[in-house]
């Protein structure tokens, strides 16, 4: 819960402050990505995910051919066309923050140098995999991304309203198979495990496409429903109820919302009824029309 609150700039109502918070998270994401690559991945010859991994792979293939290819330059050359493709299809803010992220990562890889932390391969895989997944989580929570396959994943997710991180993992595995055939299967095998941990971390902490049920116990359903309707484009059901302990009448207000809206929903409702009782729980399956707020 503390982690979710820390990574929630959407809960900040002032747009300028929310943008500043998102920008700071993007910078943190770039720094962490650079740290993971240099501290956990490079010492063990692990391959990064997405277009960053492709850039590293091109660098190593170029080395076999006897010339150098800058990984930082590769990150820029691969990500810029994807950014241009998504610019008019997702949101300018999302694309801008994503461009800031991969540009800073490219810069940090050139100017910063972090030493290895572990000598054991499996420790590098486990801790590095978790932290690398967390890199994407931070960027996505900021309404940006790390670029590359994240651009594509977000574009498809926004259009079809579902996460496709498993397909992103499959793409990464394909790159790793090419890597393994050229540079050895041991490093490729550890890299696949690294990517699996990274992908599961993203699925665990990023829930834009999951829903929750919000139930509010209140004696003032009119104000609660009005406040909810003002800020959220979801339906709400109001059910009369009777309290066995208090022996008084009250109302249950129920609605399905996106999990990333949870904190804002509770905050808005408590503005008009501080005495209300609210609880939420995850919805496993939802059938019917559902409004999902676009990325701003």
């Amino acid at each position: 819960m503390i982690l979710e609150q820390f990574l929630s700039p959407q809960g900040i109502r002032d747009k300028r402050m929310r943008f500043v918070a998102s920008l700071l998270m993007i910078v943190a994401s770039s720094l962490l990505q650079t740290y993971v690559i240099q501290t956990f991945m490079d010492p063990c010859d692990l391959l990064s995910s997405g277009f960053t991994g492709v850039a590293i792979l091109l660098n190593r293939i170029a080395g076999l051919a006897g010339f150098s290819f800058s990984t930082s330059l590769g990150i820029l050359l691969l990500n810029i066309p994807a950014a241009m493709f998504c610019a008019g299809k997702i949101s300018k803010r999302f694309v801008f923050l994503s461009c800031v992220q991969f540009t800073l990562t490219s810069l940090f890889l050139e100017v910063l140098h972090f030493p290895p932390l572990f000598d054991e391969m499996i420790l590098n895989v486990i801790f590095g995999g978790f932290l690398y997944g967390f890199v994407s989580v931070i960027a996505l929570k900021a309404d940006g991304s790390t670029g590359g396959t994240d651009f594509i994943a977000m574009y498809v997710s926004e259009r079809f309203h579902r996460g496709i991180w498993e397909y992103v993992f499959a793409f990464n595995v394909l790159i790793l198979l090419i890597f393994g055939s050229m540079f050895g299967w041991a490093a490729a095998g550890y890299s696949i495990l690294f990517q699996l941990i990274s992908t599961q971390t993203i699925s665990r902490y990023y829930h834009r496409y999951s829903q929750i049920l919000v139930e509010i116990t209140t004696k003032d359903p009119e104000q609660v429903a009005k406040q909810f309707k003002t800020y959220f484009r979801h339906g709400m059901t109001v059910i009369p109820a009777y309290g066995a302990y208090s022996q008084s009448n009250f109302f249950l207000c129920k609605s399905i919302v996106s999990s990333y809206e949870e904190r804002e929903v509770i905050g808005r409702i408590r503005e008009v009824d501080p005495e209300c009782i609210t609880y939420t729980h995850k919805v496993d399956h939802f059938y019917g029309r559902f409004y999902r707020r676009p990325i701003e």
Side-chain angles (χ1 to χ4, degrees), residues 133-193:
F134 206 61
V135 166
S136 291
V137 171
I138 295 173
L140 290 167
K141 287 279 189 176
D143 283 343
S145 76
T146 58
T149 52
D150 284 354
F151 274 134
I152 299 169
M154 189 58 65
Y155 167 70
V156 174
S157 297
E158 286 296 301
R159 183 167 182 177
F160 297 103
H161 306 299
R162 63 184 300 269
I164 61 165
W165 301 113
E166 291 79 7
Y167 297 100
V168 173
F169 173 65
F171 169 80
N172 293 330
V173 169
L174 177 62
I175 298 300
L176 288 165
L177 290 175
I178 298 173
F179 172 68
S181 66
M182 300 183 69
F183 299 97
W185 292 109
Y190 280 117
S191 295
I192 291 175
L193 178 59

Side-chain angles (χ1 to χ4, degrees), residues 1-288:
M1 181 61 70
I2 295 176
L3 184 60
E4 292 291 329
Q5 293 177 357
F6 175 73
L7 298 174
S8 298
Q10 295 84 358
I12 302 174
R13 293 168 190 172
D14 184 89
K15 287 187 177 181
R16 288 174 296 182
M17 292 300 297
R18 185 166 69 242
F19 179 76
V20 171
S22 294
L23 199 57
L24 290 174
M25 290 173 64
I26 288 295
V27 175
S29 174
S30 296
L31 282 170
L32 182 59
Q33 185 174 17
T34 303
Y35 176 76
V36 173
I37 290 174
Q38 295 184 349
T39 301
F40 297 102
M41 302 183 69
D42 287 347
C44 300
D45 292 325
L46 298 173
L47 199 65
S48 306
S49 63
F51 284 8
T52 302
V54 175
I56 294 174
L57 180 59
L58 291 175
N59 174 274
R60 297 188 180 181
I61 292 175
L64 291 179
F67 62 93
S68 63
F69 177 81
S70 170
T71 299
S72 297
L73 179 61
I75 290 173
L76 294 176
L77 292 178
L78 291 168
N79 277 284
I80 288 174
M84 294 175 64
F85 172 77
C86 293
K89 298 177 175 63
I90 305 177
S91 80
K92 292 181 179 179
R93 182 176 185 272
F94 171 82
V95 173
F96 172 75
L97 290 172
S98 300
C99 289
V100 171
Q101 204 284 341
F102 69 71
T103 301
L104 285 177
T105 300
S106 179
L107 174 64
F108 291 157
L109 284 171
E110 291 293 325
V111 301
L112 299 178
H113 302 283
F114 297 104
L117 187 61
F118 300 119
D119 294 328
E120 291 290 334
M121 172 70 81
I122 194 63
L123 291 177
N124 284 299
V125 169
I126 294 173
F127 284 95
F130 172 77
L131 290 175
Y132 202 84
F134 206 61
V135 166
S136 291
V137 171
I138 295 173
L140 290 167
K141 287 279 189 176
D143 283 343
S145 76
T146 58
T149 52
D150 284 354
F151 274 134
I152 299 169
M154 189 58 65
Y155 167 70
V156 174
S157 297
E158 286 296 301
R159 183 167 182 177
F160 297 103
H161 306 299
R162 63 184 300 269
I164 61 165
W165 301 113
E166 291 79 7
Y167 297 100
V168 173
F169 173 65
F171 169 80
N172 293 330
V173 169
L174 177 62
I175 298 300
L176 288 165
L177 290 175
I178 298 173
F179 172 68
S181 66
M182 300 183 69
F183 299 97
W185 292 109
Y190 280 117
S191 295
I192 291 175
L193 178 59
F194 177 97
Q195 296 303 331
L196 178 60
I197 295 172
S198 174
T199 302
Q200 291 302 311
T201 301
I202 296 172
S203 298
R204 170 64 180 83
Y205 289 106
Y206 185 66
H207 305 294
R208 178 174 172 82
Y209 300 96
S210 62
Q211 292 92 31
I212 60 171
L213 171 66
V214 179
E215 184 166 295
I216 302 139
T217 301
T218 180
K219 292 186 177 181
D220 193 1
E222 291 82 7
Q223 287 298 319
V224 167
K226 181 180 178 181
Q227 179 82 338
F228 185 81
K229 184 178 179 180
T230 299
Y231 293 100
F232 306 98
R233 293 180 58 180
H234 301 296
M236 174 172 279
T237 302
V238 179
I239 305 171
Y242 179 79
Y245 181 80
S246 63
Q247 296 185 349
S248 60
N249 295 314
F250 60 91
F251 296 86
L252 298 177
C253 302
K254 306 174 71 171
S255 181
I256 303 292
V257 303
S258 294
S259 59
Y260 71 94
E261 296 176 302
E262 178 179 3
R263 292 183 64 217
E264 187 179 357
V265 169
I266 295 173
R268 294 293 186 183
I269 296 303
R270 294 189 69 83
E271 286 179 359
V272 296
D273 186 3
E275 303 300 323
C276 71
I277 299 172
T278 307
Y279 76 87
T280 65
H281 63 83
K282 182 180 177 181
V283 174
D284 292 326
H285 302 284
F286 178 86
Y287 303 97

